[in-house]
Amino acid sequence: EGKVDFGPAYYFIASTYLVPAGSSIQSIDEVNRAGVRIVAISNTTTARSARRTAPLATVTEVPGVDLMTTMAQKGEGDAFALSHDSFVGMLPQVPGARVLAGQFQQTGISVAIPKGRPGALRLASQLLEEAKASGAVRCALDAAGFTDAAVAPLAKSSSSSGCWSS
């Protein structure tokens, strides 16, 4: 925030937990219990949010999704913290695992412009709002394989149309 100004969000990353097969944990609230072992990726907002929102649980940080997946396969954790879209690749590798409904963290992904450029920020923000209203952001997310990703709501009213063609 000291170096850039942010415009409106265009996408939200929501984090939740994957629980292994046979887990008694049914909701995000149930993760915040003494004895629950959470595994999260090191130095991420998801790991920090898991610690903050589940202070009774123990959080172990690992360097990447590959190790997290191995730990889930071996039952070396009770809840695995990632963004919803990150579970797409992990879930098939952990038979019987479930992704808990809801979220314990939501992060808006926004346009960022260097400080001291208010005109550029206004222009980028306007273009982004138009791209959300026209459906261009939705189409881009779909084309990238993020069909379940939520487009951030419009900051102001606009009309909507369909996808563009190339």
Side-chain angles (χ1 to χ4, degrees), residues 16-124:
T16 188
Y17 296 104
L18 174 139
V19 294
S23 174
S24 64
I25 297 172
Q26 298 296 316
S27 71
I28 289 172
D29 291 338
E30 293 176 29
V31 173
N32 185 26
R33 295 188 312 219
V36 172
R37 301 167 299 159
I38 298 172
V39 178
I41 305 299
S42 299
N43 300 313
T44 62
T45 59
T46 298
R48 288 187 292 276
S49 290
R51 235 184 212 79
R52 187 181 70 253
T53 60
L56 300 177
T58 302
V59 177
T60 300
E61 295 190 25
V62 296
V65 175
D66 290 341
L67 180 54
M68 179 183 278
T69 302
T70 300
M71 290 176 75
Q73 291 166 335
K74 293 180 177 181
E76 296 174 348
D78 302 307
F80 299 84
L82 280 174
S83 63
H84 277 276
D85 57 329
S86 296
F87 286 125
V88 172
M90 185 178 174
L91 194 56
Q93 297 179 53
V94 187
R98 294 177 286 110
V99 175
L100 298 181
Q103 64 198 29
F104 64 87
Q105 171 192 273
Q106 184 179 51
T107 303
I109 306 302
S110 305
V111 62
I113 302 293
K115 289 262 186 216
R117 300 187 63 198
L121 181 61
R122 274 192 307 278
L123 178 61

Side-chain angles (χ1 to χ4, degrees), residues 4 9 14 52 55 75 81 108 117 146 152 161:
V4 297
R52 187 181 70 253
R117 300 187 63 198
F146 296 102
S161 64

